[in-house]
Amino acid sequence: MDQLHIEIGEKRVSALLRPAEGAHRATLTLGHGAGAGMLHSSMAGIAEAFAEVGIATLRYNFPFMEERRSRVDAQAVSTATVAAALACAKANADGPYLLGGHSFGGRMASHAVVDHGLDPAGLVFCSFPLHMPKKLATKRADHLDEVGAPMLFLSGTRDGMANADLLNEVAARVGATVNWLETADHGYKVLKRTRQRTDTVFEEMAGYAEAWLATI
């Protein structure tokens, strides 16, 4: 695990590069959600599982998390951070280069592609926050029509921020792939008594990402 730092104007944030195990297939620049930073167990779980299928990850903090503030950064700051993180990945790891993240991090990654003209080989959305809980809408996905790269949505079947019908409609509109994580909620908690799969939710995500990567 390589510890790195990313400069965004006068700000500086931490990053972690997790190399792939075995043959390298891609590097995913992975942003965290609004409530927890790059060291959260879910972020670590994704990184480790993806490494096992040949996908390296560059995890990083947004400035608000690095500075221990509770309020997320403005979109301009967030997307600039994503752009700087992608540049860091390109300087420290092999391609092809994917962009994405958990919840807020994934949404900001997609905005960064549009706002900064980024050129990732694909976007991986882990629990994309399509709408607020119990407030069904798709406005947060309007800008995805301007994203030219392939997109993969990995959302739990119990995710209260991603109504299945609405997310499937969005994915069909923009030509994206959706894989539903069995019994998982927005934070990847699963129902152990009813989940039929024997792998972890992170291994499930990695398997879907590996299969999707082979198609783009």
Side-chain angles (χ1 to χ4, degrees):
M1 195 87 69
D2 296 331
Q3 295 186 350
L4 303 169
H5 288 93
I6 300 170
E7 307 287 341
I8 312 105
E10 297 181 353
K11 297 181 180 294
R12 190 172 191 247
V13 299
S14 304
L16 282 174
L17 177 62
R18 174 63 166 95
E21 297 288 342
H24 173 92
R25 302 190 63 188
T27 297
L28 169 63
T29 301
L30 186 71
H32 60 75
M38 68 175 187
L39 298 179
H40 189 270
S41 59
S42 291
M43 293 290 287
I46 294 170
E48 292 303 314
F50 276 46
E52 290 295 326
V53 298
I55 302 174
T57 54
L58 179 79
R59 287 180 277 159
Y60 61 94
N61 277 336
F62 286 100
F64 80 93
M65 188 61 64
E66 189 79 9
E67 298 164 8
R68 299 183 179 182
R69 292 182 281 110
S70 59
R71 186 178 181 86
V72 300
D73 301 301
Q75 182 173 315
V77 174
S78 299
T79 58
T81 304
V82 173
L86 178 60
C88 180
K90 289 182 175 180
N92 290 280
D94 294 330
Y97 300 99
L98 307 172
L99 264 182
H102 168 65
S103 196
F104 171 83
R107 187 161 71 94
M108 289 301 105
S110 62
H111 278 294
V113 170
V114 177
D115 296 351
H116 294 270
L118 304 182
D119 59 344
L123 283 157
V124 180
F125 301 122
C126 307
S127 297
F128 187 87
L130 185 60
H131 51 75
M132 294 299 290
K134 299 181 181 180
K135 296 183 179 180
L136 304 187
T138 60
K139 185 177 181 180
R140 286 182 173 182
D142 287 351
H143 67 287
L144 296 183
D145 293 286
E146 301 177 57
V147 175
M151 290 175 272
L152 171 66
F153 290 90
L154 299 172
S155 291
T157 56
R158 295 190 302 118
D159 190 340
M161 299 180 74
N163 174 271
D165 290 338
L166 292 182
L167 186 57
N168 285 333
E169 288 176 10
V170 167
R173 188 188 80 219
V174 300
T177 299
V178 182
N179 289 125
W180 293 99
L181 310 174
E182 187 182 336
T183 76
D185 65 8
H186 191 73
Y188 311 115
K189 291 181 180 179
V190 298
L191 300 178
K192 294 182 179 179
R193 291 185 178 181
T194 56
R195 179 175 166 87
Q196 297 297 307
R197 297 181 65 108
T198 57
D199 55 356
T200 70
V201 67
F202 304 118
E203 290 168 342
E204 182 182 4
M205 294 167 71
Y208 286 137
E210 179 184 24
W212 168 79
L213 188 58
T215 69
I216 66 174

